[in-house]
Structures are given as structure tokens and as C-alpha cells.
Amino acid sequence: MAGSLPIRFTELLQLTQTDIDASSIGFNSCTLESDHYICVRQKLTEDANPEVIIVDLKKNNELTRRPIKADSAIMHWDRQAIALKANQRTLQVFDLGQKVKLQSTTMNEDVVYWKWISTTTLGMVTETSVYHWKIFEGPNSAPQKLFDRNTNLSGCQIINYRVNEDDKWMCVVGISQQQGRVVGAMQLYSRDRGISQAIEAHAAAFGTVRLEGAPADTRLFSFAVRNAASAKLHVVEIDHQQSNPVFPKKAVDIYFPPEATNDFPVAMQISQKYNVIYLVTKYGFIHLYDLESARCIFMNRISSETIFTTAPDSDSAGIVGVNRKGQVLSVTIDEQTIVPYLLANPANADLALKLASRAGLPGADNLYQQQFEQLYSQGNYTEAAKLAANSPRGFLRTPQTIERFKGAQQQTGQLSVILQYFGMLLDKGTLNRIESIELVRPVLQQNRKHLLEKWLKEGKLECSEELGDLARPHDVNLALGIYLQANVSHKAVAGFAETGQFDRILPYAKQSGYQPDFAQLLQNIVRVNPEKGAEFATALANNEDGPLVDIERVVDVF
């Protein structure tokens, strides 16, 4: 397996085999906003009527043809909505399913590049400015100017516009021909600061990564450039949060084969699922880099033709692209082979471990187990706990590990090892059933019920019957909430009765499909509260689907 490629490379479709002419496949006439739709403008002859052809990649490559004349057509990421541009300035958005116009506007200057930057918003670049247009906010939404274009983009063909996840950072990417080579120019804009930075770059993308021990994600910006002197990939932090560790800037060489003297980066997508940068070059090479370390994972040629448009896939796992030959190509990490592939080179062992931990990938379990045993035997319990907490798919997060940490010797002046371990798990996400019980038991013994309430509210614990049983002596309502979430129906019904919430019993029983012994339940309620018992008996007798208890037994109870 170590000799297998670490990627899955697939040809999803050949556009020329679907009645799309080769002359219609290019940057200006074929658009790809997501892995859902391809949109092609086609006019085969001077006399032919222009049309827009939509390929639905999620519906077995179903083709839809529409007689539309436009300078540009781009489909929404996942809705049947199309944005059309005519005469460079007239913009319209239609819902194709409902057959209604959603928005229409006329700009004061030519729109030279546009794209969907989110599920609600179009980003538009004109000769002088950048605009955002919210499409689904009512029929009269107007484009809003965000910022002016920088002078470094003068004379450039705009090839991309990117916005980060919280809408605070934007970058416009352009290229121009200078002294026999293609030069990249980029404008990076901070919305909060209202300032721009001119950078030489051909491709760029925004992403996030959770650094070890950090309470929040670190926002990153990556860009790639090839100039006359070198080719570099850069990864830098934007909007540093004081609670997080500082992210050191990364700058690594991008390898180009000697014969690819005129090759340069044309597209970049960042997989949030794997924290991997996918970099595509004009000559059809793909490079994979780890986002956090900027180390190269893999490089190979996937296309003999230029890939002129790309988009991330809907899982943010890989990349989809179209080349000039009409091939629709998909590249993503192969979860079965990527870790063994990296481990084949001892220098990449740490990268393999991190990737396996981050994405829950197989292939590094033995190495993790060995490192854990080594750290534990050395008495380095904190690092052993860290390793177990971050193990791929949580395979080291077992009852046996908990027992070992319980028995580990506590260092003077430090938290017990087991509490350190649980603290790491809480920082990471949700505890499993056993972990939740083992953490809550000592916490309740110390009468710190507020911690249990806090963790439940944050969704940090897996609810179970055992966890509810632990909480019940301290707070019946709290236990009831746990039983409800864990679908422990008989104890949830008992909890409603014990807390006097008799009116919730029948709706819950109907919703959950649980049928308690209503006669016995009625008897218990009458013993505690005869008045409520009478109300409950009436509700049982008058149930809309028929009585839920024998009337004679009701009489016996009273």
C-alpha cells in the first residue's frame, strides 16, 4: 500500500461527449462555481441562436439547454439559480426552478469578473472597484461597493476573487503578460482596517486550522507565485487572536520540472476537512501541501491540457476542475493510502501522525500505540494523554486508557493525570459515553453540579442512562433532560411523573412510541397527587386514538 498514490483522481465527465462543442470550453464561456453545476455558453455559428447549457453533476450529468444570450453565465453553488451578464453591465439573477427573476441591476461600469462568494452573495470586480450583491434579500437589493481596486492590478486580466469565511478579508487576483512571462498580481484587502496590500501572486485561498492547544481556529491566507527568480508558496496568519499561539509565517519552494519553464500556479483550493492546500499549475500539475506546516505531500501531473477553472467539492475534501479538452476532473485525498504513503518516508512520520489524527485516517495506529506506550513507560503522562486524546478515530480513547491514567502518579503541584486527560478531551470536542460517566462521577461527588450543567449545555457529554442515573440523586430535572436526550423512555416518563409534569407524559409517549403501563403510572400519580391523578385519568380516557387504560381499573385506583 505504501507504493500507492495518496490521491484519488477521477474523470467525472468529458464535456465534448455531451454535445458541447470544443470551441465553447474555455475560461470566458465555461464556468464552474461548485461541484454541482457546469455552465457553458455556446453559439456554434454566426447564424445559430446562442444557448446556455447547464450540466448537473449531481444528477448523473443531466443536461439542460436554454436559449439565453449573455456575456457570462454562472450557476449558484447548489440552487437552481443562474446569474447572467449582458453588455458587460446589465446583471440579472433567475430562479430556474420557480421561473422567476430574483434580482436585476445595471452597473455604471463594466463588470470584468464575477463569482458566487457564498450561498447568498455575488462578488463583482469592475475596472475600478469591487462590489458585493446579496441576491436573496428581497427584489430590490443593490450591489454594495466594498473597496477600490489597487493600482497593481492595472492592465491585468482578473482571474479570481476570494473572500474568507467571516467576510473580513478579500483578495483579487490578476495576471498580465510582461517580458515574455505571465506575471501574477494580487490585492489583499482588510475590511476592518480598510487598507489594501499589493502582492505578487498567481493564486490564493483562505483557510483555517486549529493549532495544538489553541482554544479557537487560526485564520490563514495562502498564496503562490512564480517570478523570474523563484517559485514560492506562502502561508500567513490574518486577524491573530490573543488567546491563540502565534502562527509562524511559512514560505516554501514550489518545484517545477526543468522542462516547465513557462509553467505557473493558476488555481488554489484549501480542503478544510484535511487542512490540505491543492495547488494547480497551468501545465496541469497538482501539488498537495499541508496547510499548517506548508510541507509538500505530493506532486504529479494530472492533465496534459490547462485546467482553466476549479472549485472545492461540497465536502471541502478535494478539488474539481475543467481543462481545455473538456475533461471534468476530481482530485481528493485517498484516505486509505495517504498515511502509509507519508510513512514510507521516515522524515514525514510526524506529518502522517498529524494528518491521521486531524482527519481520523487509518494507517498510523501502530505508530500511535508504540509512541503512547513509550511515553507512558517514561512517566511522560501529559504527552501520553495528549497523544491518546488526539489518536485517529479516538482508537486510544478506551476504558483501559482511562484506568491507566487514573493509576498514574500525580506530579507535585499539577492536576491529576486523569483530569488533564479529560481537560484535553473537553477542549477537543464531545466525550464518549464511558468518558462522560468517568468525568462526571467525581465531579458530582465534589458537589460541583454546575460543571455538569455547563458541559451538557455546551454539548460536551454523551448522554446515557448511566449518566442520568448519576445525576438523579443531585437533580431530578437535570437527570430528566439526560434521559430525554439519550432516549431512555421509561425513566423519562418516570421523571415527568416525579417532577409533576404529568401533562408532558402523553405527548412524549406518542412522539417516542413508548407505551408505559398507564394503570400502574396512574396509581403512582394518585398516591402522590390525587387532583393531578384525576386530570391524568381523564386524559387517558379521552385520548383521541381511543382510551389508553381500562375504565374499570381507573375506578379501582380511585
Side-chain angles (χ1 to χ4, degrees):
M1 186 177 281
S4 303
L5 293 179
I7 63 168
R8 283 192 288 113
F9 173 55
T10 314
E11 182 183 288
L12 301 176
L13 175 67
Q14 172 52 260
L15 291 177
T16 55
Q17 293 174 3
T18 61
D19 292 337
I20 294 174
D21 193 74
S23 63
S24 304
I25 302 168
F27 182 78
N28 292 317
S29 54
C30 177
T31 56
L32 175 79
E33 296 288 298
S34 71
D35 66 347
H36 201 135
Y37 297 107
I38 295 172
C39 197
V40 181
R41 292 184 304 112
Q42 183 158 282
K43 191 175 189 301
L44 296 178
T45 65
E46 283 296 320
D47 300 328
N49 292 321
E51 61 179 346
V52 169
I53 304 169
I54 300 162
V55 185
D56 190 335
L57 298 171
K58 301 286 189 183
K59 273 194 179 177
N60 201 27
N61 303 326
E62 179 182 281
L63 256 68
T64 305
R65 295 174 179 272
R66 294 188 179 265
I68 296 172
K69 183 181 180 183
D71 304 329
S72 176
I74 51 177
M75 283 293 290
H76 187 271
W77 288 357
D78 51 35
R79 293 173 64 156
Q80 279 195 304
I82 191 169
L84 302 170
K85 173 162 63 85
N87 304 317
Q88 303 302 328
R89 298 187 181 192
T90 303
L91 311 177
Q92 295 179 317
V93 184
F94 294 90
D95 185 318
L96 297 175
Q98 300 293 322
K99 297 182 179 177
V100 294
K101 185 190 292 185
L102 297 172
Q103 296 291 351
S104 179
T105 193
T106 302
M107 304 294 287
N108 293 323
E109 54 183 339
D110 291 356
V111 174
V112 297
Y113 183 83
W114 66 336
K115 70 179 293 184
W116 289 95
I117 56 172
S118 73
T119 55
T120 62
T121 307
L122 281 164
M124 301 174 296
V125 184
T126 69
E127 293 288 358
T128 64
S129 309
V130 175
Y131 295 81
H132 284 185
W133 190 16
K134 294 189 179 298
I135 300 304
F136 303 102
E137 285 195 348
N140 300 312
S141 171
Q144 300 296 312
K145 180 179 170 182
L146 265 288
F147 57 95
D148 292 320
R149 271 177 57 168
N150 222 29
T151 53
N152 71 314
L153 293 171
S154 297
C156 286
Q157 176 193 1
I158 304 302
I159 61 168
N160 211 343
Y161 175 59
R162 310 300 296 263
V163 179
N164 84 323
E165 59 170 10
D166 64 357
D167 226 22
K168 291 186 176 180
W169 288 83
M170 297 89 189
C171 76
V172 184
V173 183
I175 55 173
S176 60
Q177 193 82 26
Q178 294 180 31
Q179 298 173 344
R181 67 183 189 90
V182 176
V183 176
M186 183 177 72
Q187 176 182 0
L188 178 63
Y189 176 76
S190 166
R191 195 171 189 172
D192 285 350
R193 298 174 182 84
I195 55 173
S196 290
Q197 184 178 353
I199 301 170
E200 185 181 4
H202 290 90
F206 295 97
T208 60
V209 68
R210 180 65 66 95
L211 299 176
E212 190 175 301
D217 287 346
T218 295
R219 294 189 173 94
L220 299 176
F221 178 59
S222 178
F223 59 97
V225 60
R226 187 180 193 185
N227 54 34
S230 64
K232 294 280 186 185
L233 172 76
H234 299 264
V235 184
V236 297
E237 183 176 9
I238 51 176
D239 286 341
H240 175 68
Q241 298 185 55
Q242 290 302 318
S243 58
N244 276 355
V246 174
F247 180 86
K249 291 180 182 179
K250 307 293 192 306
V252 298
D253 290 331
I254 302 171
Y255 173 75
F256 285 93
E259 66 273 15
T261 50
N262 295 318
D263 198 10
F264 60 91
V266 291
M268 184 188 295
Q269 304 291 348
I270 292 177
S271 161
Q272 284 303 134
K273 181 176 181 180
Y274 301 118
N275 285 156
V276 165
I277 300 168
Y278 293 88
L279 179 67
V280 178
T281 74
K282 180 180 172 64
Y283 283 15
F285 286 89
I286 191 159
H287 302 241
L288 274 64
Y289 294 88
D290 175 59
L291 176 61
E292 182 181 343
S293 64
R295 283 160 63 181
C296 186
I297 296 172
F298 178 73
M299 172 206 160
N300 209 339
R301 193 168 197 177
I302 58 168
S303 172
S304 58
E305 300 285 334
T306 298
I307 297 172
F308 61 86
T309 182
T310 67
D313 63 24
S314 48
D315 297 325
S316 192
I319 185 171
V320 179
V322 183
N323 69 13
R324 284 187 178 156
K325 201 189 285 183
Q327 289 176 295
V328 183
L329 306 172
S330 165
V331 178
T332 187
I333 276 177
D334 188 323
E335 294 194 345
Q336 301 303 314
T337 61
I338 179 75
V339 172
Y341 175 86
L342 288 169
L343 287 174
N345 180 353
N348 286 330
D350 60 331
L351 182 54
L353 287 171
K354 271 201 170 182
L355 188 58
S357 168
R358 186 191 303 143
L361 303 181
D365 293 8
N366 288 341
L367 191 57
Y368 258 91
Q369 186 76 52
Q370 290 167 18
Q371 288 199 4
F372 175 77
E373 296 297 343
Q374 186 177 3
L375 290 166
Y376 192 89
S377 64
Q378 292 169 348
N380 193 345
Y381 301 126
T382 301
E383 288 303 313
K386 196 181 294 181
L387 199 77
N390 291 304
S391 59
R393 307 171 312 287
F395 86 95
L396 284 175
R397 291 171 58 173
T398 62
Q400 292 77 17
T401 298
I402 292 172
E403 290 305 315
R404 291 179 75 174
F405 285 142
K406 277 184 181 177
Q409 187 175 352
Q410 185 172 347
Q411 303 294 315
T412 308
Q414 286 189 1
L415 274 175
S416 67
V417 177
I418 188 64
L419 284 181
Q420 288 184 57
Y421 177 56
F422 284 138
M424 293 170 191
L425 294 177
L426 287 168
D427 287 340
K428 188 173 176 64
T430 303
L431 275 63
N432 63 35
R433 186 179 66 86
I434 299 295
E435 291 163 350
S436 300
I437 294 165
E438 291 293 343
L439 171 62
V440 167
R441 183 179 283 115
V443 165
L444 290 178
Q445 285 170 354
Q446 296 167 19
N447 293 316
R448 301 170 76 185
K449 187 184 75 171
H450 66 282
L451 286 176
L452 171 57
E453 292 171 333
K454 174 178 179 287
W455 294 329
L456 285 170
K457 191 175 180 181
E458 293 172 349
K460 294 288 188 181
L461 304 176
E462 182 180 329
C463 290
S464 63
E465 183 174 357
E466 298 95 322
L467 189 65
D469 292 346
L470 281 175
R472 195 172 179 280
H474 300 268
D475 189 325
V476 177
N477 278 304
L478 193 59
L480 173 58
I482 295 170
Y483 292 140
L484 286 170
Q485 205 163 327
N487 296 316
V488 187
S489 300
H490 65 290
K491 290 192 175 178
V493 168
F496 285 137
E498 192 172 346
T499 55
Q501 301 180 68
F502 308 115
D503 57 330
R504 293 184 64 185
I505 293 174
L506 287 184
Y508 173 76
K510 189 172 184 180
Q511 175 202 336
S512 64
Y514 172 66
Q515 288 293 310
D517 183 340
F518 285 114
Q520 183 65 48
L521 188 59
L522 177 61
Q523 205 166 9
N524 294 338
I525 293 171
V526 168
R527 195 179 299 124
V528 177
N529 190 328
E531 187 180 332
K532 288 291 182 183
E535 289 178 14
F536 189 60
T538 304
L540 290 172
N542 296 331
N543 179 57
E544 58 183 17
D545 296 325
L548 292 170
V549 68
D550 189 300
I551 301 299
E552 290 183 11
R553 291 193 68 182
V554 173
V555 173
D556 291 342
V557 168
F558 286 94

